[in-house]
Amino acid sequence: MIMDSEKPISSLGFSHACWSLIRLSRFDRYNSLLALFPSIFTTLLAGALRLRQNPNEVSLGFVFSQALKCALHCYVFSGAGMVWNDWIDCDIDAKVERTKNRPLASGQVRVSHALIWMAIQYLAAGAILRSAVDNPSVLGFALAFETIGTAWYPFGKRPAARKWYIYPQFVLGALGLPLVVSGWAAIYYPERLGLLESIQRALPLSFLMFIWTLYYNTAYSYQDVGDDRKLDVHSMYVLAGQNIHAFIVALGVLVLGNIIWVLVDVESTWLWFSWMGVWTIAYFSQFHQFDPARPETGGFVHKQNVKLGVWAVFACMVEVLLAGM
């Protein structure tokens, strides 16, 4: 529903005002699901590993409850990040066809209300993570990294970032590290692993999340290539230039290679077939479907990766159940 941008929010119904805030945080869209995957993958895989190593120390209920807490943290924090992104990018969004009707760009939500909404979500996300991660060093690292990364992300789209070879996808991908580290700590928190050891254990999955983000977000941003060029918006597809299709394929192959790195230590036949096998087939289909002459096919790649993420979560849940038997 597109509301009159000239009408102050106080004259809108309460339900419309709430809906505008929900839209501002993208809670009405599938995009926010992508923020959940790093923590869910980590908690479930770490949970399965711990169930096999020390079945008497943890339960299935513990693993799934920790995964839920970490997922809620990511979802709420992502909502706060979306508000920040739309506030910084308000001038750009208003000039891009796909984003011109976002609540801040179209004037449906006041800036003051948006910032209050962002603060509420930020505080709630911190409280949720605190309940899951009883490790001050990991908790501090995760919240600081997420805050700095989220704050910097929209500035990575600006032309000034180009001379530093910083792309917004780099920042977004790097945000997987604190999510994976906190997800690992949520399962192994009784051991109070040091921060450096937690980061070391998280590296394979963190790198997978980084490359995966580059892949699907580059395809996603390519949808706006026409408007972005007019506005001089900075994105990874600029690096690829005319070789965007080969670039997408190369990133996809790297994603598949990094899944192998993650699964080598897990030693699960089920995950080799359900995760690696399914993603490999799907990626070759995406390579075929992506067409640089039709930027909207970047949206197809993006949506397909959300579905693959949901499938991988299911596969990891089954892995936990198998480990707990």
Side-chain angles (χ1 to χ4, degrees):
M1 180 182 296
I2 300 176
M3 294 173 281
D4 184 1
S5 61
E6 299 297 322
K7 188 180 297 183
I9 198 167
S10 59
S11 66
L12 298 173
F14 179 73
S15 60
H16 283 176
C18 290
W19 180 244
S20 293
L21 293 177
I22 289 172
R23 289 180 55 228
L24 184 60
S25 293
R26 308 286 200 282
F27 292 151
D28 64 321
R29 297 177 59 81
Y30 66 87
N31 305 62
S32 294
L33 290 175
L34 289 163
L36 309 182
F37 295 137
S39 284
I40 294 181
F41 291 161
T42 306
T43 50
L44 294 178
L45 289 176
L49 182 62
R50 193 164 182 214
L51 281 167
R52 286 199 169 94
Q53 291 175 337
N54 306 103
N56 297 324
E57 292 184 2
V58 293
S59 65
L60 288 173
F62 169 79
V63 173
F64 286 127
S65 66
Q66 291 296 83
L68 179 60
K69 289 178 184 178
C70 288
L72 284 174
H73 161 75
C74 294
Y75 194 70
V76 176
F77 198 98
S78 171
M82 293 295 184
V83 178
W84 172 261
N85 179 77
D86 283 11
W87 181 41
I88 299 299
D89 280 353
C90 192
D91 56 331
I92 296 176
D93 287 346
K95 299 173 184 176
V96 176
E97 183 64 28
R98 185 177 60 85
T99 60
K100 66 181 182 180
N101 292 317
R102 287 178 174 173
L104 277 174
S106 60
Q108 296 170 31
V109 173
R110 292 177 180 173
V111 171
S112 59
H113 293 170
L115 295 182
I116 291 172
W117 174 233
M118 180 181 71
I120 291 172
Q121 292 176 94
Y122 181 82
L123 293 173
I128 294 169
L129 187 62
R130 174 65 182 81
S131 70
V133 180
D134 186 20
N135 188 320
S137 62
V138 171
L139 182 65
F141 166 78
L143 291 177
F145 200 119
E146 289 177 51
T147 301
I148 294 171
T150 301
W152 172 251
Y153 171 69
F155 296 103
K157 304 174 190 175
R158 309 287 163 156
R162 190 172 299 137
K163 63 181 180 180
W164 301 102
Y165 299 99
I166 297 174
Y167 296 87
Q169 286 78 16
F170 287 174
V171 181
L172 195 62
L175 283 171
L177 175 61
L179 301 181
V180 173
V181 170
S182 58
W184 184 272
I187 296 298
Y188 281 88
Y189 78 85
E191 284 82 355
R192 285 296 184 97
L193 298 177
L195 177 58
L196 292 180
E197 185 177 358
S198 297
I199 293 175
Q200 182 180 4
R201 294 193 183 190
L203 280 179
L205 192 52
S206 295
F207 199 62
L208 170 59
M209 294 297 101
F210 179 77
I211 298 298
W212 186 38
T213 302
L214 297 190
Y215 175 72
Y216 69 68
N217 198 266
T218 299
Y220 181 74
S221 64
Y222 190 71
Q223 295 177 99
D224 302 323
V225 62
D227 289 329
D228 285 356
R229 283 172 177 165
K230 296 176 185 177
L231 299 171
D232 200 21
V233 174
H234 188 49
S235 190
M236 278 285 287
Y237 62 74
V238 175
L239 177 64
Q242 296 299 314
N243 300 312
I244 181 63
H245 190 273
F247 188 71
I248 289 292
V249 171
L251 287 174
V253 170
L254 282 175
V255 171
L256 297 178
N258 276 274
I259 294 177
I260 294 175
W261 186 20
V262 170
L263 296 186
V264 162
D265 291 334
V266 177
E267 299 181 352
S268 167
T269 302
W270 159 252
L271 288 179
W272 279 109
F273 282 99
S274 65
W275 190 345
M276 184 67 192
V278 171
W279 279 41
T280 299
I281 294 171
Y283 267 43
F284 277 92
S285 174
Q286 291 173 29
F287 298 159
H288 176 71
Q289 293 289 333
F290 180 74
D291 183 359
R294 296 189 298 128
E296 66 273 13
T297 58
F300 166 80
V301 171
H302 187 259
K303 290 178 181 178
Q304 288 299 306
N305 276 269
V306 174
K307 293 178 181 178
L308 287 176
V310 172
W311 168 255
V313 169
F314 168 76
C316 290
M317 291 176 67
V318 172
E319 176 64 17
V320 171
L321 292 174
L322 291 173
M325 289 181 177

